[in-house]
């Protein structure tokens, strides 16, 4: 397996970039697909806990509010109607009443958290967004690269793992899953990828059913 890179800016003025090699051999997506789904989910939750923890330094400049992150959803929901429109309403309610706001990763799926061996699991490719911390956990359940993401049994199991490990409230997490799955579907539709969008909406349907 090719080793991947973790990147960190060291000098914004000159554009100098430090690249650190992820030398560990573990892969969260492979773990999730090969019988270690619970362990992979736990690793993601632990990495996010570290990212969300209070830090002595000031947050980065030019962070995007989470509401801006969702700008693609409303027009696509109006066009598609149905479940996507329902999810857009849920997203609007959540965005108006955000709780426990932190600097978010914004795209914390299995392939964006890498094994750095002795340094543990570290996240790459943050999206410079700030908002409610629940949002960072949704990709554990919505990751479009995970072939089992639409399996109801897998969804229920990993939902329970996230809730237990991260200490999240079940109903609110499910609503955030609906919101993000519809947003992800909107992004796919913008790119003309209807099959991928339908897969994300299937995850939204699982979350809606679980809410009931």
């Amino acid at each position: 397996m090719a080793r991947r890179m973790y990147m960190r800016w060291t000098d914004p003025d000159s554009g100098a970039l430090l690249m650190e090699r992820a030398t560990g051999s573990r892969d969260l997506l492979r773990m999730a697909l090969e019988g270690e789904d619970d362990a992979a989910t736990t690793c993601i939750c632990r990495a996010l806990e570290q990212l969300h923890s209070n830090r002595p330094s000031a947050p980065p400049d030019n962070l995007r509010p989470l509401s801006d992150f969702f700008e693609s959803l409303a027009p696509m929901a109006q066009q598609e109607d149905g479940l996507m429109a329902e999810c857009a309403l849920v997203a609007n309610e959540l965005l108006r009443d955000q709780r426990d706001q932190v600097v978010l990763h914004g795209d914390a799926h299995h392939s964006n958290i890498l094994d750095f061996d002795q340094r543990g699991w570290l996240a790459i490719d943050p999206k410079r967004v700030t908002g409610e911390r629940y949002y960072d956990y949704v990709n554990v359940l919505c990751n479009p690269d995970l072939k089992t993401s639409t399996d109801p049994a897998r969804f229920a199991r990993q939902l329970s793992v996230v809730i237990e490990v991260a200490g999240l409230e079940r109903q609110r997490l499910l609503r955030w899953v609906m919101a993000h799955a519809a947003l992800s579907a909107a992004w796919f539709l913008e790119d003309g990828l209807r099959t991928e969008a339908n897969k994300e909406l299937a995850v939204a349907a699982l979350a809606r059913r679980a809410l009931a």
Side-chain angles (χ1 to χ4, degrees):
M1 180 183 68
R3 289 177 176 175
R4 294 157 295 180
M5 307 297 283
Y6 166 77
M7 296 180 288
R8 179 176 61 218
W9 289 102
T10 56
D11 187 350
D13 295 328
S14 68
L17 185 68
L18 173 65
M19 302 179 72
E20 180 182 350
R21 192 175 295 273
T23 58
S25 60
R26 296 172 297 173
D27 181 278
L28 290 174
L29 185 60
R30 188 172 67 239
M31 288 169 60
L33 292 171
E34 295 181 357
E36 297 182 87
D37 208 355
D38 289 9
T41 295
T42 299
C43 289
I44 294 173
C45 291
R46 295 301 187 205
L48 289 173
E49 183 180 10
Q50 293 183 11
L51 284 175
H52 296 163
S53 62
N54 292 327
R55 300 178 184 276
S57 58
D61 295 329
N62 302 321
L63 293 173
R64 297 175 61 190
L66 189 55
S67 55
D68 287 357
F69 208 55
F70 273 78
E71 61 188 6
S72 293
L73 179 54
M76 195 60 71
Q78 185 175 12
Q79 174 181 313
E80 295 292 311
D81 203 15
L83 177 58
M84 184 175 282
E86 182 180 343
C87 292
L89 291 175
V90 171
N92 287 337
E93 292 172 359
L94 291 168
L95 292 167
R96 284 197 302 266
D97 180 33
Q98 294 187 63
R99 308 171 187 175
D100 197 9
Q101 297 190 47
V102 297
V103 176
L104 297 167
H105 180 281
D107 193 23
H109 58 72
H110 295 70
S111 298
N112 271 346
I113 298 176
L114 306 184
D115 178 11
F116 281 75
D117 201 11
Q118 293 184 357
R119 296 189 62 199
W121 296 98
L122 300 178
I124 64 168
D125 196 23
K127 300 307 180 186
R128 302 184 68 84
V129 62
T130 181
E132 183 171 328
R133 75 181 184 98
Y134 274 62
Y135 180 76
D136 259 352
Y137 294 90
V138 294
N139 265 312
V140 177
L141 301 165
C142 300
N143 185 357
D145 294 331
L146 193 59
K147 298 176 182 177
T148 55
S149 64
T150 57
D151 177 4
R154 188 265 170 187
F155 182 89
R157 173 64 186 173
Q158 297 315 307
L159 176 70
S160 296
V161 174
V162 172
I163 290 168
E164 180 179 353
V165 176
L168 304 182
E169 194 271 318
R170 182 178 186 274
Q171 300 297 94
R172 192 166 185 86
L173 177 59
L174 284 168
R175 296 178 75 218
W176 274 113
V177 170
M178 288 182 66
H180 173 76
L183 175 62
S184 184
W187 287 334
F188 278 126
L189 289 172
E190 287 178 341
D191 293 333
L193 301 173
R194 172 68 64 175
T195 300
E196 290 81 356
N198 288 343
K199 182 177 180 180
E200 289 297 287
L201 290 174
V203 177
L206 290 175
R208 181 178 62 178
R209 193 175 307 130
L211 276 167

